[in-house]
Amino acid sequence: MPSDHDDEGLAQYSSPPCFMHELDPEFRVPLSDWSEVKRWRKAERERLIAARLAVAADARAAMSQRIAEGLDTLIGDIDGRMVSLYWPFRGEPDLRPWMASINARGGRTALPVVIDKGQPLVFRGYAQGDRLEKGVWNIPIPAEGDPVLPDIVISPIVGIDPQHYRLGYGGGFFDRTLAAMPFKPLVIGVGYELQRIATIYPQPHDIPMDRVVTEAFKS
């Protein structure tokens, strides 16, 4: 995918009307081109991450547990299936205990690895106790191992709209990765109810989640 699918690289915020959503969540800014969408997404991303971090750590832990229970309900038998998760970052749901439970129940787990800007992610197998090293943003990644292809991809969201389009961190990695995979995995977005928004202004390159699981388990 071309690099203009990225959201990153803009330093300026949109004009004041772009913040009307803070007063009315159903307000939709009349954005006319991709540059305006990128500016809006950058501001909305910062707002949503701040809101997520404002939730007390123990409350986030309780919500993460409910999300894990929702994933079990949605996925069912995990035996023999490969699930890609993530290492929690900036207040994301912490599903590491659930990751360990997958391995205990006969499933396999993996983590995504950034190879280079503008390139798809790769997935490497990971289980508790495997050696880790620092990746992009100092997020731990598996230190070794050949690439694997997950049957299920669990993706953290910054924001999610009613059509299950995901607002991420703006690097474009997620969409490139799904587009490059030789088969379509089950893709599940996970996050908190407070991250639901009216729209992300989806573009032709955006790929929606198949399901979304929050602490309220709405999919």
Side-chain angles (χ1 to χ4, degrees):
M1 280 189 173
S3 60
D4 62 0
H5 288 179
D6 297 353
D7 290 357
E8 56 192 27
L10 289 169
Q12 300 299 316
Y13 288 157
S14 331
S15 57
C18 292
F19 296 95
M20 281 295 294
H21 63 279
E22 297 185 18
L23 302 176
D24 179 2
E26 297 303 314
F27 181 83
R28 297 193 180 192
V29 187
L31 305 182
S32 59
D33 59 36
W34 177 228
S35 63
E36 289 186 348
V37 170
K38 286 194 289 185
R39 287 194 294 270
W40 181 87
R41 285 186 179 184
K42 182 177 187 295
E44 187 69 348
R45 183 178 298 117
E46 292 182 0
R47 181 186 74 84
L48 289 165
I49 291 173
R52 183 172 72 192
L53 288 169
V55 177
D58 57 347
R60 288 202 306 266
M63 291 191 289
S64 296
Q65 175 60 33
R66 291 197 291 272
I67 290 168
E69 293 166 358
L71 287 168
D72 275 333
T73 300
L74 176 62
I75 294 170
D77 186 12
I78 205 71
D79 186 29
R81 303 172 85 176
M82 170 69 77
V83 183
S84 170
L85 288 104
Y86 59 91
W87 203 268
F89 176 68
R90 300 192 72 188
E92 292 169 341
D94 186 352
L95 297 179
R96 286 174 293 182
W98 186 67
M99 185 190 311
S101 82
I102 291 174
N103 289 283
R105 290 178 285 160
R108 297 177 295 156
T109 50
L111 292 174
V113 179
V114 175
I115 299 301
D116 200 2
K117 183 176 180 179
Q119 298 299 313
L121 302 164
V122 300
F123 303 96
R124 287 182 188 158
Y126 171 77
Q128 188 174 18
D130 290 351
R131 190 166 69 88
L132 293 165
E133 63 185 15
K134 291 182 179 180
V136 174
W137 297 318
N138 290 323
I139 297 173
I141 60 172
E144 57 239 340
D146 294 329
V148 298
L149 292 173
D151 305 297
I152 301 167
V153 174
I154 308 296
S155 178
I157 62 171
V158 174
I160 196 78
D161 76 6
Q163 286 72 48
H164 292 180
Y165 282 102
R166 166 188 179 271
L167 179 65
Y169 290 101
F173 292 108
F174 177 80
D175 295 320
R176 288 191 193 90
T177 303
L178 291 182
M181 290 185 69
F183 63 86
K184 173 68 171 63
L186 173 64
V187 184
I188 305 173
V190 294
Y192 311 120
E193 280 294 302
L194 63 86
Q195 293 170 278
R196 291 188 182 273
I197 55 178
T199 185
I200 73 160
Y201 294 99
Q203 304 298 302
H205 60 270
D206 289 319
I207 299 176
M209 309 286 96
D210 295 315
R211 300 286 189 273
V212 176
V213 175
T214 70
E215 74 276 12
F217 183 39
K218 295 180 180 180
S219 181

